[in-house]
Amino acid sequence: MHVPDLLDGKLFDSIPSGAAYVQTPGFSTIIARGRAAAEGFPDDLVYIGMSLGVMPAQALAQTRPGVRGAVFLHGAVPVSEFGEWPARLPVQIHAMDADPEFVDSGDIDAARALIAEAEDGAMFLYPGNGHLFTDASLPDYDKAAADLVMQRVLEFLGRL
């Protein structure tokens, strides 16, 4: 497992402050950093992205040859941003059904469209409005939902 630092080691007290910082380098730089972090890795990987990290994970999943699967937590990007979704590429998307970062931003629509293109795709919506509900260190943490995400992701990875 490799978790790249896409934000120059900076930590933020809130999602809005982190999102404001990302405006400085720009989304294309964040995606480029994710691509650079994956250079030299084998092709047959599963890319997992959380929130902002979905952008580089999705870019890599859609554009690198031999990818085995993708898991997107708390976000999705319109498929058109990176070309077409490889129809046979398995994907899971996990988010809360009332998360304003996911629902109001249009990520939910992007997720639905992506799942419609994938031959093996599933979107799981959990009740609640937390954004990073899988992170036990944050106030949005929801243990029951996070446990179910983990179970579903492990089952997904087990069949790839």
Side-chain angles (χ1 to χ4, degrees):
M1 175 170 43
H2 179 75
V3 180
D5 175 8
L6 304 176
L7 302 176
D8 296 325
K10 294 184 177 14
L11 301 175
F12 303 94
D13 293 334
S14 68
I15 291 171
S17 63
Y21 170 78
V22 169
Q23 300 302 316
T24 302
F27 292 121
S28 60
T29 298
I30 300 300
I31 293 167
R33 288 176 182 168
R35 287 184 193 271
E39 286 180 16
F41 287 169
D43 292 336
D44 64 338
L45 298 176
V46 175
Y47 289 98
I48 300 177
M50 295 179 68
S51 192
L52 176 66
V54 166
M55 287 192 314
Q58 188 171 331
L60 289 162
Q62 279 187 240
T63 60
R64 285 195 78 184
V67 175
R68 294 184 61 197
V71 177
F72 305 141
L73 305 173
H74 325 297
V77 180
V79 170
S80 61
E81 289 292 317
F82 311 113
E84 296 179 1
W85 187 260
R88 291 202 165 123
L89 179 63
V91 61
Q92 279 192 351
I93 301 171
H94 300 265
M96 287 201 148
D97 62 0
D99 167 14
E101 298 291 330
F102 185 72
V103 176
D104 298 344
S105 70
D107 285 22
I108 193 168
D109 298 322
R112 287 183 176 132
L114 190 160
I115 295 302
E117 288 189 35
E119 290 176 10
D120 181 1
M123 178 167 59
F124 298 99
L125 295 175
Y126 304 84
N129 63 2
H131 183 58
L132 298 173
F133 69 94
T134 57
D135 186 335
S137 72
L138 297 175
D140 282 349
Y141 180 63
D142 181 316
K143 181 175 177 10
D147 287 349
L148 189 51
V149 169
M150 182 64 75
Q151 175 188 335
R152 288 173 168 162
V153 170
L154 290 174
E155 288 171 2
F156 175 75
L157 295 174
R159 67 179 173 80
L160 295 181

